[in-house]
Amino acid sequence: MSKNHIRPLASLAEGQTAQVASLLSGGTMRRRLQDIGFIEGTQVECVQKSPAGDPVAYRVRGALIALRSEDSARVLVV
Amino acid sequence: MGLTHESVGRGAAGSSLTIHKQHETDRIIALAGNPNVGKSTVFNALTGMNQHTGNWPGKTVSNAQGYCEADGRGYVMVDIPGCYSLMAHSAEEEVARNFICYGEPDGVIVVCDATCLERNLNLVLQTLEITSQVVVCVNLMDEARRKGVHLNTRLLSQRLGVPVVCTEARGKKGLKKLMQAMEKRLQEPSPSQPVQVQYITPLEEAISLLESSLNKVDLHSLPSRWLALRLLDQDEALLVGLEEYLDCDLLSLPGVRDALSQAEELLNRHGLTGETRLDAIVSSLVRQAEAICDGVVFQFPSSAEERDRKIDRILTSKGTGFPIMILLLAVVFWLTITGANYPSQLLAKGLFFLQGKISQGLLFLGAPPWLEGLLADGVYRTLAWVVSVMLPPMAIFFPLFTLLEDLGYLPRVAFNLDKYFKKCSACGKQALTMCMGFGCNAAGIVGCRIIDSPRERLIAILTNSFVPCNGRFPTLIAILTMFFVGAGTALFQSAACAILLTGIILLGIVMTFLSSKLLSSTILKGVPSSFTLELPPYRRPQIGKTIVRSIFDRTLFVLGRAVSVAAPAGLVIWLMANVSVNGQSLLTVCSGFLDPFAQLLGMDGVILLAFILGFPANEIVVPILLMAYMSAGSLVEYESLDALRTILVQNGWDWVTAVCVMLFSLFHWPCSTTCLTIYKETKSWKWTLISILLPTLTGMAACAIFANIARLF
């Protein structure tokens, strides 16, 4: 897979970093994600998976935010 | 575990707030900020109050006010809920925005987290769009230093156009400066213009179209630019709020509707419709925050970040996450049980010695024997039981739990358990409210406001009492120690007791999951909604302060409540035991009436009666039970738990009874305070009734099944 391939945030392995390309979720969740800094070009790092593998904690703009797999599948990154 | 008078007391559910000024010249200052930036710590440090703090986001669920004085002037400080934005997407954002817009604060202090300033500036910029009377408080400077973050606050202040003050609220540093800066800002005849967020060209054009029509009318000092933006992002909540608080129908003002349709048309031409338009607005805010931070924030390499990751790898990884969670629970219980045993005996000895003196004193003063019995054997004895059995475990459990909370462990519990809550179509934050329930179910239920989805919030409310609150822990501990931890060394005994108690708690947690699943597949059908959970950095707890604070704020508060309920309950029990109808005491009549049903549940009539009389406070169930048994027959002086065991065994208890009592203690109706809180939070008798029936029926079923199977052998 090339480095510039668009893929869901959920596909990142622990320790991998990518940039936000676009958000597929709508409504309140879209707003919340934007408020905490998920906008185009923002760097996101996949930091830590929970014991059950879901949710996963991501570092975004200095904060650690956990997202469920359904939600991280709706964030596209490059 | 937000257990203070504020969180369960009067007004906990009300979102309205009446400001109490002490002098005409007092100023009203709102404290805003992202969740978990130490806003409540700043509030407490300024006002000397004890608004609950803890290292997890979302503790402040409604506005709280406090008073402080600085340089001879009084200030009413209002702690508004933490939020990421003022666009009112969630309940707390709406409460926060409503106060800034309609609460008429003289000034706003926006508290920011120095370790992640850029994200916090989003809220600062949004606040500056509403008012220029703002001071930015950059808190957690100590933590930032440890993480290698350095800030050029002078440049930050220049770029924002408002004063910026650095604080370390936990160490009370910088607070005086903060208040001085606020006062100076308020007194300035022509304060500097704050930075204005620049939006993309079509948006700016649309804004000026609307502004020119809005400028012609009275807007109650709300800035026209901000109102124009809210009209453009189709903010229904704002229009409703304007009508409700200011009696102002924005769209009916002359020219506004026309200007809006022109602006709409302009934006639509540029493809800025619906979601795209909102995206453009939010992106501009985030990018402006990014630009402001460029050259202000410097990140130097540090080991603190690496340390946090190492801790997280241990506390939340696949192999060790769950075992450590269970181990921590067991250790907390073990410390509580071991630590509580000796002081409990000492207290009992002292208090029962006093009872003899009180009796003698009363008789000496010429009190009739019935009065002596009523006061000494009824009221005082019940109080003594409550204090000696309940106080020591509480005084140990509360501080231990608070330490875990301050450390930042609770959000990790939510992180670990979320997958299972998702499977039950519930919210991961329910793990947080469940943890709060360990302290007090009423506080846990108020805390459910952190859950945005109404359906998931209801599930969390209805299932909260499946975890035992602090009033029920001592009951469980006492029975476990008496019946299941027999011979062996003291260490073995307490360890075995802690393990069994952990098992019981896990049973409660499993039932929370099962009943959540049941609810979400029957009367509360729905799919799990989206949510974000912030994992804050670990913070070193302030051990001394935590202990003092949790004893004074929580332990004494809970104990006070138990005592105030126990005194009348003791009176009732004594009267029931001593008033006879047809040669039988009322107690015998009542317990006899309940007995057949109670036997079905593996208990007896007295036990069930004790649970019923314990409705006002679970803490008094065991004391009432003992009172009832003892009033009927021999009076045994309290020497140790063994003496209590003898009383219980004499009254027909065996291990099956003990298990059933523990099961029923875990699953039965919530206490009266909790029921009232559920009603306040849901505004529905139907849901309150369901929240009573759900655990009660569960408990009855569990007891009946267990007792009948166990009796077969």
Side-chain angles (χ1 to χ4, degrees):
Chain A
M1 200 181 284
S2 81
K3 208 168 167 7
N4 288 325
H5 192 86
I6 287 198
R7 58 201 194 276
L9 181 61
S11 68
L12 257 58
E14 279 180 34
Q16 279 186 328
T17 302
Q19 266 95 42
V20 175
S22 64
L23 303 178
L24 300 179
S25 45
T28 316
M29 188 56 179
R30 187 184 186 86
R31 301 276 84 79
R32 173 53 59 85
L33 286 173
Q34 288 171 333
D35 284 338
I36 56 181
F38 280 90
I39 63 163
E40 206 190 315
T42 303
Q43 182 150 314
V44 189
E45 184 196 348
C46 172
V47 177
Q48 168 92 45
K49 290 191 174 166
S50 63
D54 182 27
V56 175
Y58 298 95
R59 176 158 305 282
V60 58
R61 293 183 192 264
L64 203 56
I65 306 281
L67 296 179
R68 282 179 172 173
S69 56
E70 291 81 356
D71 299 316
S72 55
R74 301 174 70 79
V75 176
L76 296 184
V77 294
V78 286
Chain B
M1 204 168 72
L3 191 76
T4 59
H5 181 67
E6 282 78 19
S7 61
V8 293
R10 199 168 54 88
S15 54
S16 61
L17 179 84
T18 321
I19 298 288
H20 302 292
K21 279 191 179 187
Q22 297 186 4
H23 309 282
E24 265 313 295
T25 55
D26 287 353
R27 299 194 192 276
I28 302 168
I29 309 291
L31 275 175
N34 281 188
N36 218 52
V37 295
K39 206 163 49 67
S40 294
T41 314
V42 172
F43 176 82
N44 288 345
L46 282 170
T47 61
M49 284 178 63
N50 289 310
Q51 178 79 352
H52 181 64
T53 62
N55 190 6
W56 51 280
K59 293 162 308 296
T60 309
V61 284
S62 64
N63 295 332
Q65 64 179 314
Y67 194 79
C68 82
E69 275 180 31
D71 295 330
R73 188 188 278 277
Y75 299 87
V76 179
M77 308 298 297
V78 181
D79 190 12
I80 56 183
C83 55
Y84 295 111
S85 157
L86 291 176
M87 307 247 196
H89 309 311
S90 65
E92 59 264 39
E93 285 176 21
E94 208 174 320
V95 174
R97 187 175 81 181
N98 282 350
F99 189 78
I100 294 177
C101 288
Y102 318 118
E104 297 176 354
D106 295 299
V108 181
I109 292 176
V110 186
V111 185
C112 296
D113 176 352
T115 63
C116 103
L117 186 66
E118 188 185 312
R119 197 199 60 203
N120 287 251
L121 284 187
N122 185 355
L123 184 72
V124 174
L125 291 171
Q126 290 190 44
T127 312
L128 288 175
E129 286 186 329
I130 303 177
T131 167
S132 60
Q133 301 295 46
V134 171
V135 171
V136 173
C137 161
V138 183
N139 193 31
L140 304 173
M141 286 304 287
D142 41 347
E143 212 164 285
R145 267 197 304 277
R146 274 195 297 112
K147 284 181 120 187
V149 176
H150 287 251
L151 304 173
N152 182 346
T153 44
R154 186 181 299 241
L155 184 62
L156 178 64
S157 170
Q158 243 171 44
R159 287 185 178 169
L160 289 173
V162 289
V164 173
V165 179
C166 295
T167 59
E168 292 167 29
R170 295 214 316 179
K172 304 203 176 202
K173 283 188 197 159
L175 297 165
K176 206 173 147 93
K177 268 196 189 146
L178 178 66
M179 292 313 288
Q180 282 167 347
M182 187 79 247
E183 183 57 38
K184 195 168 161 231
R185 178 81 186 171
L186 293 176
Q187 280 183 4
E188 243 163 279
S190 52
S192 56
Q193 268 304 309
V195 62
Q196 196 171 51
V197 181
Q198 291 305 308
Y199 296 96
I200 50 174
T201 321
L203 265 170
E204 285 291 347
E205 282 171 16
I207 292 168
S208 27
L209 265 174
L210 270 167
E211 256 192 300
S212 55
S213 74
L214 287 168
N215 276 334
K216 292 180 194 131
V217 289
D218 175 29
L219 298 167
H220 303 271
S221 78
L222 286 172
S224 54
R225 182 180 168 85
W226 181 75
L227 283 174
L229 271 161
R230 298 292 81 79
L231 280 175
L232 292 174
D233 68 21
Q234 285 139 346
D235 189 333
E236 298 284 338
L238 177 88
L239 295 177
V240 174
L242 281 171
E243 280 231 59
E244 194 180 317
Y245 292 94
L246 303 177
D247 202 21
C248 160
D249 182 1
L250 204 55
L251 289 176
S252 75
L253 294 174
V256 174
R257 199 178 283 271
D258 284 345
L260 182 61
S261 49
Q262 277 180 39
E264 286 281 345
E265 203 182 303
L266 184 141
L267 290 176
N268 291 349
R269 266 207 313 275
H270 285 89
L272 289 169
T273 51
E275 213 116 86
T276 332
R277 191 185 300 168
L278 278 166
D279 287 358
I281 294 175
V282 183
S283 305
S284 301
L285 282 162
V286 177
R287 290 200 199 291
Q288 186 116 2
E290 203 178 275
I292 289 173
C293 280
D294 186 35
V296 165
V297 182
F298 303 93
Q299 173 73 61
F300 294 99
S302 112
S303 57
E305 173 63 25
E306 193 42 46
R307 182 208 61 184
D308 271 17
R309 293 292 68 75
K310 269 186 196 151
I311 302 178
D312 266 340
R313 272 196 289 277
I314 298 167
L315 294 184
T316 67
S317 76
K318 200 169 182 169
T320 51
F322 290 123
I324 287 185
M325 209 162 68
I326 294 168
L327 193 71
L328 268 174
L329 202 62
V331 168
V332 167
F333 291 144
W334 181 75
L335 286 171
T336 308
I337 292 163
T338 322
N341 196 19
Y342 184 68
S344 192
Q345 288 189 19
L346 213 65
L347 271 172
K349 270 193 188 134
L351 291 170
F352 288 111
F353 171 77
L354 263 181
Q355 189 195 339
K357 298 286 163 208
I358 289 175
S359 291
Q360 285 171 8
L362 282 169
L363 293 172
F364 177 77
L365 289 171
W370 65 266
L371 187 64
E372 180 265 325
L374 188 75
L375 291 178
D377 296 342
V379 176
Y380 179 83
R381 186 186 282 259
T382 314
L383 286 180
W385 282 121
V386 169
V387 173
S388 58
V389 177
M390 300 292 156
L391 177 63
M394 271 185 211
I396 297 171
F397 181 80
F398 270 146
L400 283 176
F401 198 89
T402 313
L403 286 178
L404 282 181
E405 189 184 1
D406 284 357
L407 191 69
Y409 186 61
L410 296 198
R412 268 77 189 180
V413 172
F415 182 60
N416 286 346
L417 291 178
D418 178 62
K419 176 86 177 271
Y420 306 97
F421 279 108
K422 186 165 91 179
K423 280 194 175 156
C424 306
S425 299
C427 179
K429 288 186 196 166
Q430 194 177 332
L432 291 173
T433 61
M434 188 175 80
C435 288
M436 279 192 276
F438 282 125
C440 166
N441 293 129
I445 281 155
V446 176
C448 289
R449 293 183 195 167
I450 60 173
I451 298 168
D452 292 327
S453 141
R455 185 187 69 86
E456 291 167 6
R457 199 165 81 92
L458 255 179
I459 292 179
I461 289 175
L462 297 183
T463 57
N464 194 273
S465 61
F466 279 110
V467 291
C469 65
N470 205 27
R472 290 183 273 166
F473 272 121
T475 310
L476 296 169
I477 292 173
I479 295 173
L480 270 175
T481 326
M482 281 187 278
F483 281 87
F484 298 96
V485 192
T489 60
L491 182 71
F492 170 80
Q493 278 191 11
S494 55
C497 190
I499 291 168
L500 286 170
L501 186 55
T502 309
I504 293 175
I505 304 309
L506 291 179
L507 181 68
I509 295 175
V510 167
M511 277 315 297
T512 304
F513 283 121
L514 288 179
S515 52
S516 298
K517 177 86 191 157
L518 179 77
L519 286 170
S520 60
S521 52
T522 54
I523 48 175
L524 284 168
K525 267 198 186 115
V527 286
S529 69
S530 302
F531 85 112
T532 57
L533 175 73
E534 187 166 353
L535 302 176
Y538 290 100
R539 284 178 198 153
R540 185 169 301 161
Q542 299 169 294
I543 295 174
K545 213 177 147 195
T546 300
I547 292 173
V548 172
R549 200 186 68 206
S550 60
I551 286 182
F552 282 95
D553 288 6
R554 298 176 172 182
T555 313
L556 291 184
F557 170 69
V558 173
L559 190 74
R561 193 177 69 116
V563 163
S564 63
V565 170
L571 198 118
V572 170
I573 279 287
W574 191 88
L575 283 176
M576 284 176 80
N578 289 281
V579 174
S580 299
V581 183
N582 299 333
Q584 277 191 313
S585 76
L586 259 180
L587 188 68
T588 322
V589 175
C590 286
S591 60
F593 172 75
L594 291 170
D595 203 59
F597 180 62
Q599 291 293 342
L600 270 181
L601 307 179
M603 300 186 283
D604 66 29
V606 175
I607 303 173
L608 199 54
L609 187 67
F611 274 112
I612 292 170
L613 286 173
F615 178 61
N618 280 299
E619 290 86 342
I620 63 171
V621 170
V622 169
I624 291 181
L625 198 65
L626 293 168
M627 288 288 299
Y629 283 142
M630 281 156 65
S631 63
S634 58
L635 278 175
V636 183
E637 279 306 313
Y638 180 92
E639 282 157 8
S640 64
L641 281 175
D642 267 349
L644 293 188
R645 183 173 191 274
T646 317
I647 301 174
L648 296 178
V649 171
Q650 278 170 359
N651 282 283
W653 280 50
D654 58 9
W655 71 277
V656 181
T657 324
V659 170
C660 288
V661 172
M662 287 195 291
L663 281 174
F664 203 66
S665 172
L666 191 60
F667 309 129
H668 72 292
W669 47 86
C671 74
S672 59
T673 312
T674 307
C675 290
L676 211 63
T677 310
I678 293 171
Y679 176 71
K680 277 190 198 161
E681 292 293 309
T682 59
K683 300 266 187 299
S684 145
W685 288 115
K686 182 186 119 188
W687 292 118
T688 312
L689 187 69
I690 291 176
S691 74
I692 294 171
L693 287 177
L694 185 68
T696 308
L697 294 178
T698 307
M700 286 179 175
C703 287
I705 292 169
F706 177 81
N708 286 298
I709 290 176
R711 300 266 188 243
L712 287 178
F713 301 103

